[in-house]
């Protein structure tokens, strides 16, 4: 059976998956489901992994790095997941866009709120059932402090969008997670408007854990099967 090897990058000053306070539950559950997550501090080692995660990178990607990621996705069939945050905090949208634009997307510098569909009355904790991909055993998830995504090309796939009650403070369509696919190689590039749906606070809310594990798994892998207790 194919087992996804996940390379969690710290090459661009990302949040570390080995931070026990923030991500220990994700790491533990991924291991339990057969997903092997390793923290990677060497850029050249990333190509050894099936799925590569850039979780809130604080250092922009260079032109050469962008070209290398394109090769990994478009020619070598890797999955790359890039995650940002709302309001361009720490210039995160600008940083993410040094890579995302190569795959037909931009992270907007806005914030998306929902006064109706939210978690415990907090409009920044968007609860949505509008999940188009990675939805095996997933009905609803919560995405906190989210920016919207602007598609630049017509082939961008919706992964998750907010409910119709959500609004962007800059009038943008509330597309929260999007993806570009490369069927010839089997590669994927995914952009998320928030990086905190799989932290220790959010991951046990709604179906966030199931969604997170589905997202990390490379699509060559058989979809993860869950017991009725998960």
């Amino acid at each position: 059976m194919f087992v996804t090897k996940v390379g969690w990058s710290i090459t661009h000053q990302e949040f570390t998956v080995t931070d026990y306070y923030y991500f220990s539950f994700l790491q533990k559950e991924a291991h339990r489901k057969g997903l092997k997550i390793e923290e990677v501090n060497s850029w050249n080692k990333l190509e050894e992994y099936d799925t590569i995660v850039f979780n809130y990178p604080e250092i922009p990607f260079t032109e050469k790095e962008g070209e290398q990621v394109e090769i990994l996705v478009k020619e070598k069939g890797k999955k790359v997941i890039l995650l940002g945050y709302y309001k361009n905090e720490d210039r995160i949208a600008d940083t993410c866009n040094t890579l995302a634009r190569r795959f037909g997307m931009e992270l907007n510098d806005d914030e998306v709120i929902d006064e109706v569909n939210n978690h415990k009355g907090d409009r920044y904790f968007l609860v949505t059932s509008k999940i188009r991909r990675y939805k095996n055993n997933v009905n609803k998830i919560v995405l906190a402090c989210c920016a919207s995504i602007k598609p630049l090309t017509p082939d961008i796939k919706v992964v998750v969008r907010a409910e119709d009650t959500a609004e962007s403070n800059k009038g943008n369509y509330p597309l929260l997670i999007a993806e570009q696919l490369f069927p010839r190689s089997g590669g994927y590039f995914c952009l998320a408007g928030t990086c905190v749906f799989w932290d220790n606070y959010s991951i046990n809310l709604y179906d966030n854990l199931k969604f997170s594990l589905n997202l990390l798994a490379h699509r060559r892998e058989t979809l993860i099967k869950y017991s009725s207790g998960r």
Side-chain angles (χ1 to χ4, degrees):
M1 178 182 175
F2 178 83
V3 176
T4 298
K5 289 177 59 182
V6 179
W8 190 286
S9 172
I10 55 171
T11 64
H12 286 66
Q13 207 169 307
E14 295 91 348
F15 288 133
T16 63
V17 72
T18 55
D19 186 317
Y20 185 85
Y21 185 82
Y22 286 107
F23 295 109
S24 58
F25 201 86
L26 172 63
Q27 192 173 37
K28 179 180 73 174
E29 288 300 304
H31 178 75
R32 200 168 70 84
K33 293 296 184 182
L35 298 169
K36 184 178 181 181
I37 301 180
E38 295 180 353
E39 205 162 81
V40 183
N41 62 8
S42 170
W43 178 263
N44 292 330
K45 285 185 66 66
L46 289 173
E47 66 179 349
E48 299 175 9
Y49 296 87
D50 308 299
T51 298
I52 301 163
V53 178
F54 299 107
N55 195 59
Y56 199 96
E58 296 193 53
I59 299 173
F61 296 87
T62 66
E63 186 76 12
K64 183 178 179 181
E65 288 171 339
E67 291 171 357
Q68 291 171 328
V69 173
E70 282 194 272
I71 291 171
L72 291 176
V73 174
K74 296 179 181 180
E75 297 180 18
K76 297 188 176 182
K78 307 295 184 179
K79 174 187 278 188
V80 170
I81 306 170
L82 174 63
L83 305 102
Y85 205 52
Y86 73 163
K87 298 195 295 187
N88 203 15
E89 296 250 341
D90 296 329
R91 302 195 69 82
I92 186 62
D94 298 333
T95 299
C96 286
N97 290 338
T98 61
L99 183 58
R101 288 191 184 104
R102 290 179 173 272
F103 297 92
M105 291 175 271
E106 284 183 347
L107 186 64
N108 291 317
D109 61 352
D110 62 351
E111 61 182 38
V112 182
I113 61 170
D114 196 324
E115 301 283 3
V116 178
N117 292 286
N118 60 52
H119 179 63
K120 292 187 175 180
D122 190 330
R123 63 182 185 170
Y124 288 104
F125 278 71
L126 311 170
V127 174
T128 181
S129 62
K130 306 297 185 182
I131 303 150
R132 298 291 177 259
R133 298 175 61 76
Y134 309 110
K135 59 183 182 178
N136 186 41
N137 287 321
V138 175
N139 295 309
K140 284 186 177 182
I141 60 174
V142 59
L143 301 172
C145 302
C146 209
S148 66
I149 294 167
K150 178 182 179 182
L152 303 177
T153 58
D155 57 344
I156 299 304
K157 305 294 185 183
V158 175
V159 177
V160 179
R161 71 173 179 88
E163 298 286 350
D164 294 339
T165 48
E167 296 179 348
S168 159
N169 68 324
K170 296 194 174 180
N172 299 317
Y173 178 74
L175 173 58
L176 307 181
I177 305 178
E179 194 168 52
Q180 190 178 47
L181 316 181
F182 298 91
R184 185 182 295 273
S185 71
Y188 298 76
F189 181 87
C190 184
L191 178 64
T194 179
C195 63
V196 292
F197 61 87
W198 53 14
D199 63 2
N200 282 354
Y201 177 78
S202 295
I203 198 165
N204 285 312
L205 300 176
Y206 305 91
D207 295 317
N208 279 35
L209 174 60
K210 295 173 185 177
F211 176 78
S212 298
L213 296 179
N214 287 344
L215 180 64
L216 285 174
H218 195 286
R219 299 304 284 175
R220 284 181 293 167
E221 187 175 50
T222 302
L223 283 173
I224 296 168
K225 298 187 183 302
Y226 299 91
S227 69
S228 59
R230 279 290 180 193

